[in-house]
Amino acid sequence: SARNADATVAPVGTRAPAVQLTKMISAIYILDSKGKVILMRDYRGEVEFSAVDRFVAHILEEEDEASITPIFVDQGVSYVYVQHNNLYFLAVSARNADATLAILFLYKLIEVFTSYFKTLEEESIRDNFVIIYELLDEMCDFGYPQTTESALLKQYITQSGTELHKAKVHIPDGVSSRISWRPPGITYRKNEIFLDIIEKVNCLIGSNGSLLRSEIIGQVHCNCQLSGMPQLRLGLNSRVDFAQDVERGRSKGGIEMEDVQLHQCVNLPRFEADSMITFVPPDGEFDLMTYRLTADIKPLFWIEAMVDSHKHSRIEYLIKARSQFKARSVATDVVITIPVPPDADSPKFQTSIGTAKYAPEKDAIIWTIKQFAGSKEYLLRAHIGLPSIDTEEEFARPPIQVQFCINYYTISGVQVRYLRVVEQNLKYQALPWVRYITKNGDYQIRTT
């Protein structure tokens, strides 16, 4: 029973080893941007309602938003909160609760509410408070997180009104199943699974071309359209090293993944033992794994900006954009944002490819290129007028920003060796599809 004080509680969301917990969440609050309580659910009766006033005071006291911590203790009460849009989601406990589990549970609340209401903001909370109370009661029992899969919750907590008949009340098998994220009886005419390896590049490049900061944020995204209860096994290329490989001296000196987070469907003991990713997938779309890499990389795009400034008259730009990946790859929807002085006017452009326009709301030139092949260089010339009145402040050039998407390409070298699907009862042949995508994250190039 969840009410057993010595119950073993499995973490919510991101899979981690089960830990022995004796204390959990006392209450959940949802507050608006001014700190006013919209609704709350008291699970254990351990914390006075006035405790939320101390949280509001704590938030208002901190003038610097960056200095506000998501976890703090005040007068013996532990506070854990996350902010989403114009809302605060707050968990409080009168005891020494597991703070990481509380944060994960709050994010799961946001994920489930968003799945139900599409947009999660103050108005949607007020309009749906009845169903929210139902979800809060079903997702957490006496302070212990329970069912947190939105697909499972939607089977018996619906947004449409129904007449209650005792004989028709049915609790889905997944609620009490060991595999709560996948209900039985799923069927498809064509059994397929789509796997996307998506990597976002965060990069800061100096004006001399030197790499100042680089980071890759990776995501293994699945779209499962398989019948029955399939067992899947994913094999990555032999160069991939997980944290347990490095700790146990099994590192191959290749691609060292950090901050690996796995979906709860992954068989964690098997993964920790031999780094094998085996899982029974949820139906539909989900993130199987996320990871981070901090290895130095060769910048995919290099932008060189030559600026000729004529005071009180005009500024002339010559922008050279060069792709530094293999010629057989093509970047699509490339957008290069070049900052210009805020008082610029009368822009004129000449490009060797794509289109350029002046965006006064962003104080920038936006150069758009639909397709940018690898190992190519293109030019943009821009002529921008300046007011004749002298301004006291000299224009400090912010960095150039680049957006792009390269299909069938991974910058880290992570590759899928195999994806095996076994369904013991139905014994069908499944079609696995794998796609690689590299996108920009925070990709900036300094000009000064």
Side-chain angles (χ1 to χ4, degrees), residues 29 47-56 74 77 79 90 92:
Y29 295 84
V47 177
E48 295 180 0
F49 184 82
S50 59
V52 73
D53 297 333
R54 295 196 291 274
F55 167 76
V56 175
D74 189 345
V77 177
Y79 295 82
L90 170 66
V92 299

Side-chain angles (χ1 to χ4, degrees), residues 215-261:
E215 182 182 60
I216 300 169
I217 305 298
Q219 171 189 6
V220 181
H221 183 77
C222 296
N223 185 359
C224 179
Q225 299 177 14
L226 299 172
S227 305
M229 282 285 181
Q231 289 273 353
L232 276 68
R233 179 183 297 178
L234 173 65
L236 302 177
N237 50 325
S238 57
R239 294 177 55 219
V240 173
D241 289 329
F242 294 103
Q244 62 265 29
D245 297 322
V246 178
E247 291 171 2
R248 296 169 187 171
R250 299 190 309 216
S251 174
K252 297 172 280 292
I255 305 166
E256 187 174 332
M257 290 186 173
E258 303 175 63
D259 297 340
V260 175
Q261 294 185 338

